Amino acid sequence: MSYVIAAAGTGGHVYPGLAVGEQLVADGIDRSEILFIGGKRLAAKVFPAAGFPFLQLEVRGLRRSLSFDNLTLPAVVFNAARRAGDEFDARDVRVVLGMGSYTSVPVGLAARRRKLPLFLHEQNAHAGLANRMMGRLAVTTFTSFEDTEAAIRPEHVGNPIRADLAEFSRASLRREAFDRYGLEPGKVTVGIVGGSLGARAVNTAMIEAMSDWEGPPIQIVHLAGRDLIAEVEDAVVESAVPWVVLDFEDQMELFFAATDLVVARAGGMVAEITATGTPSILMPGGFGSGGHQAANAEALAREGAAQVVEESDSGRLRELLHELVSDPAERRGMSSAARAVARPDAAATIARELRRAHG
């Protein structure tokens, strides 16, 4: 009798799905009973590496421009749903969770055909296309934000994060984090992260903002992205600001423990930012469904937890950095506001509902 978690695409879908799977294990479910379903990119690496069974489906999302590929999409979805359904039957699946990526559609259809309870999770402040399509087939759509737009039968629980972040203590991890990155106590540390793959717009804006920096002493930890690290390293090699550049960090609790302020995209990362109480400057990407990153960023800004810089106005970043680095009281206020909206127990809440539905 098995559980299924469908998550594909970027880390904003994959890592919250992994957090729920790990919580189920912590609750006593054997890893072999939790099947992850996803695509061939990040999901195909992350879930098997964590020791979970994994089914790769050949499926893609709807292209938002006119494309011949959209005409073939129904057949692709049908074939993926049939393959998922065969796996459901073989594993005696009892409950299904879709994390809102394109795999949620065929997996949701397979669950519906077998009358299995289907749950969805929406990471963003505006529900994505897959969740809008499948919401009426689901028991509920768990949401990360209290007022998620276009979610069907929403239940606000927060965005699942891994236990190391849900139980985060900056004070207890600070020394280990500084040792890891070779940082100097006494300087404000700014963290830069563009998501699991990095973001060139964020990288470029930060490099430009630090050109001839004349503000208070700072140091930088920069998660540049695996495909972008070389160009960032080349750009900062002669910077007068201490600048640690990494492609990726698999211990994000140490990244946040080191940082006093983070510059980031506004996808699934906002759950980690709020859970760790980290003041942030968010630069939302314009991609995705319904401008979801802009909606996420504005949700945090309304609560006083973040400042927002549009890509088209990235020149403001230097001014904001100077302001926040110089004002520890402002950062403390943003930190408190971030913690106030955090839901670090989201993975535990969702896992409990899945176990209840599983029976």
Side-chain angles (χ1 to χ4, degrees):
M1 296 185 291
S2 298
Y3 297 77
V4 161
I5 300 175
T10 66
H13 298 293
V14 169
Y15 288 110
L18 180 62
V20 175
E22 291 182 336
Q23 182 63 54
L24 286 169
V25 172
D27 291 343
I29 307 302
D30 193 274
R31 284 179 190 270
S32 66
E33 293 298 312
I34 306 167
L35 173 67
F36 278 91
I37 299 180
K40 62 183 179 180
R41 299 182 64 189
L42 187 63
K45 298 176 182 178
V46 169
F47 300 133
F52 290 101
F54 178 70
L55 173 66
Q56 181 178 314
L57 288 183
E58 296 299 328
V59 65
R60 62 177 186 273
L62 180 70
R63 300 188 188 280
R64 288 173 173 78
S65 58
L66 290 175
S67 171
F68 176 78
D69 287 346
N70 286 340
L71 299 178
T72 65
L73 190 57
V76 172
V77 171
F78 174 80
N79 288 333
R82 182 173 58 186
R83 188 171 177 214
D86 290 344
E87 195 73 17
F88 288 6
D89 296 339
R91 288 180 168 270
D92 190 19
V93 169
R94 296 297 180 88
V95 63
V96 176
L97 171 66
M99 297 304 296
S101 59
Y102 49 82
T103 53
S104 294
V105 176
V107 169
L109 293 173
R112 172 73 171 195
R113 183 175 181 182
R114 287 156 181 79
K115 299 182 180 179
L116 299 175
L118 169 67
F119 295 85
L120 301 174
H121 184 272
E122 177 55 58
Q123 293 84 45
N124 298 302
H126 186 284
L129 179 60
N131 279 345
R132 298 199 303 272
M133 291 174 62
M134 303 308 296
R136 297 192 185 282
L137 306 184
V139 176
T140 191
T141 299
F142 299 117
T143 65
S144 296
F145 293 88
E146 188 169 3
D147 298 313
T148 299
E149 296 179 16
I152 299 172
R153 288 189 284 276
E155 180 182 347
H156 177 218
V157 302
N159 197 9
I161 55 177
R162 302 181 73 178
D164 288 336
L165 289 167
E167 301 165 2
F168 178 81
S169 168
R170 180 173 276 105
S172 65
L173 293 171
R174 186 79 163 183
R175 177 172 294 180
E176 181 183 354
F178 269 42
D179 288 346
R180 180 176 179 83
Y181 302 123
L183 299 176
E184 180 182 335
K187 290 184 178 179
V188 174
T189 305
V190 178
I192 315 299
V193 57
S196 58
L197 301 177
R200 180 173 279 112
V202 175
N203 294 346
T204 301
M206 189 64 190
I207 291 165
E208 292 176 351
M210 288 294 100
S211 177
D212 299 321
W213 175 254
E214 295 178 352
I218 66 171
Q219 55 198 349
I220 295 171
V221 179
H222 192 152
L223 306 185
R226 287 180 173 138
D227 294 336
L228 305 175
I229 183 170
E231 61 187 57
V232 172
E233 288 177 328
D234 289 345
V236 306
V237 66
E238 295 183 1
S239 175
V241 175
W243 205 311
V244 180
V245 184
L246 304 171
D247 59 349
F248 182 78
E249 175 60 271
D250 59 5
Q251 296 186 64
M252 287 299 291
E253 69 278 10
L254 295 181
F255 171 82
F256 282 107
T259 57
D260 301 293
L261 171 69
V262 68
V263 179
R265 281 298 199 199
M269 182 64 63
V270 298
E272 299 181 1
I273 289 170
T274 56
T276 58
T278 305
S280 60
I281 299 173
L282 300 177
M283 185 177 292
F287 44 81
S289 180
H292 66 266
Q293 287 210 4
N296 296 350
E298 288 301 325
L300 263 65
R302 282 195 301 271
E303 301 298 329
Q307 297 272 10
V308 181
V309 174
E310 302 295 338
E311 281 190 23
S312 60
D313 193 23
S314 61
R316 285 188 60 233
L317 181 58
R318 184 185 182 94
E319 174 188 343
L320 282 176
L321 282 167
H322 195 289
E323 173 188 323
L324 293 176
V325 167
S326 304
D327 193 344
E330 176 70 12
R331 296 199 309 273
R332 286 194 295 270
M334 293 173 72
S335 178
S336 296
R339 288 194 184 93
V341 300
R343 290 289 189 96
D345 60 346
T349 301
I350 294 172
R352 183 172 61 248
E353 291 300 314
L354 295 182
R355 289 189 288 107
R356 184 177 296 157
H358 186 282

